[in-house]
Amino acid sequence: MHPLLFIVSLPLLAAIVAGLFGRWIGKTAAKVVTTGSLFIGAFLSWPIFFSYIAGNAGPTVVPVMTWIQSGTLSVDWALRVDSLTAVMLVVVTSVSSLVHLYSWGYMEEDPSQPRFFAYLSLFSFAMLMLVTADSLVQMFFGWEGVGLASYLLIGFWYHKPSANAAAMKAFVVNRVGDFGFSLGIFGTFLVFGTVSIPAILAAAPGMAGSTIGFAGIRADTMTVLCLLLFVGAMGKSAQLPLHTWLPDAMEGPTPVSALIHAATMVTPACSWSAACRRCSNSPRPPRTLSHTSAPRPAFSPRQSAARRTTSSA
């Protein structure tokens, strides 16, 4: 069995155990299960990372099951790892495991520790689903899971009105970005006929120079699609103008701020920006002059006369 399956599934299993059975197994067992799952994931992620650094590994897809089959839309539940994913696996699992460990001391006196650690593990699972997605629909699943978990964590101290308001603000602002992301997914399926990320990246160079109608205008196809997908990254990474939710995220416990601000929720959005950049930088065909057009002179006749007068003087 591929280690990627353990890296992604262990945080989900830990979140279920701590969230549903934390009252019976106790806070210590809940912390051990959730923290241990992330450390195991980090331990399994580093060899994958080093294999790509050494050049001994290539893009790998681990199929799980067929998820959606409707007409021409086919979405398989699969986990993909390449060089970019290997970097993100190390970042997400390592930072999340350390945040879990730090939370042992910070949340020591909180009576709802099993619930808190279940939310942390759910957050980590959603981020891992995001960075290992093989299709845009699967990535959207992880995208929304991160939004849900951030809402739960920011509003963890729900008895505080300010925490509830901050959680709701983060949820609503991120939905604005998710709307643009969903439009990008629809447009990508319309243009390419697939939501598979490898298939889209392979077909992207062939769309260079094409145009698509959007909001009543004709624009470059790849530019429109990448900008729509980038709107989702703007929400998750708190970029202007979708940045207003991030300062209020401090209403949650400090480990939540570390998880969101440091290198987890924001960084997967940046990794998706890098993937969009690979699409937008596809080679364009050379532009040729038609038989009716002539090369534009470097200087106009008046400028040429002035240059000759200056030279003679």
Side-chain angles (χ1 to χ4, degrees):
M1 187 175 292
H2 199 279
L4 195 60
L5 292 172
F6 293 100
I7 296 173
V8 175
S9 61
L10 283 179
L12 176 61
L13 296 177
I16 293 174
V17 170
L20 298 181
F21 307 104
R23 184 177 300 179
W24 291 275
I25 65 177
K27 62 180 183 180
T28 301
K31 292 189 291 186
V32 169
V33 169
T34 52
T35 307
S37 67
L38 265 301
F39 271 99
I40 293 174
F43 178 77
L44 295 175
S45 297
W46 279 99
I48 297 176
F49 172 74
F50 286 126
S51 65
Y52 279 93
I53 290 295
N56 298 327
T60 304
V61 177
V62 182
V64 179
M65 64 178 182
T66 299
W67 187 18
I68 300 174
Q69 188 72 45
S70 177
T72 59
L73 176 63
S74 177
V75 181
D76 293 329
W77 193 280
L79 305 177
R80 174 180 170 83
V81 58
D82 53 18
S83 57
L84 180 61
T85 304
V87 174
M88 296 310 306
L89 285 176
V90 167
V91 172
V92 171
T93 56
S94 299
V95 173
S96 295
S97 60
L98 293 177
V99 170
H100 275 72
L101 186 61
Y102 171 75
S103 301
W104 279 53
Y106 187 89
M107 302 295 292
E108 180 61 33
E109 299 180 0
D110 195 286
S112 302
Q113 292 182 55
R115 178 167 61 92
F116 178 78
F117 280 88
Y119 291 167
L120 284 183
S121 291
L122 179 63
F123 197 109
S124 302
F125 163 73
M127 288 185 294
L128 290 170
M129 283 300 307
L130 195 158
V131 300
T132 60
D134 187 53
S135 68
L136 293 179
V137 177
Q138 188 177 339
M139 177 176 284
F140 192 73
F141 171 82
W143 210 267
E144 294 303 305
V146 167
L148 171 63
S150 64
Y151 169 79
L152 295 173
L153 285 168
I154 295 173
F156 177 75
W157 288 322
Y158 55 85
H159 56 276
K160 297 168 54 179
S162 58
N164 288 329
M168 187 61 67
K169 184 177 183 179
F171 190 83
V172 172
V173 172
N174 275 280
R175 296 294 75 73
V176 176
D178 293 346
F179 178 70
F181 188 62
S182 61
L183 288 180
I185 295 176
F186 299 152
T188 301
F189 180 73
L190 176 66
V191 171
F192 294 99
T194 181
V195 291
S196 172
I197 295 176
I200 294 170
L201 293 177
M207 298 304 299
S210 64
T211 60
I212 189 174
F214 181 75
I217 61 173
R218 302 292 299 184
D220 183 77
T221 301
M222 297 308 301
T223 300
V224 171
L225 296 180
C226 288
L227 285 177
L228 287 174
L229 295 172
F230 182 68
V231 170
M234 289 174 61
K236 286 292 182 290
S237 56
Q239 300 180 40
L240 190 74
L242 303 179
H243 65 289
T244 55
W245 66 270
L246 194 56
D248 295 331
M250 299 297 293
E251 287 293 337
T254 297
V256 176
S257 302
L259 200 63
I260 294 176
H261 291 243
T264 48
M265 181 174 177
V266 173
T267 310
C270 297
S271 72
W272 176 237
S273 300
C276 288
R277 187 173 181 272
R278 282 190 289 177
C279 288
S280 61
N281 284 351
S282 56
R284 298 178 179 276
R287 300 181 64 180
T288 57
L289 296 173
S290 64
H291 67 280
T292 58
S293 61
R296 183 178 179 181
F299 300 97
S300 65
R302 181 176 300 178
Q303 289 173 324
S304 299
R307 286 174 60 87
R308 287 195 298 271
T309 304
T310 303
S311 300
S312 63

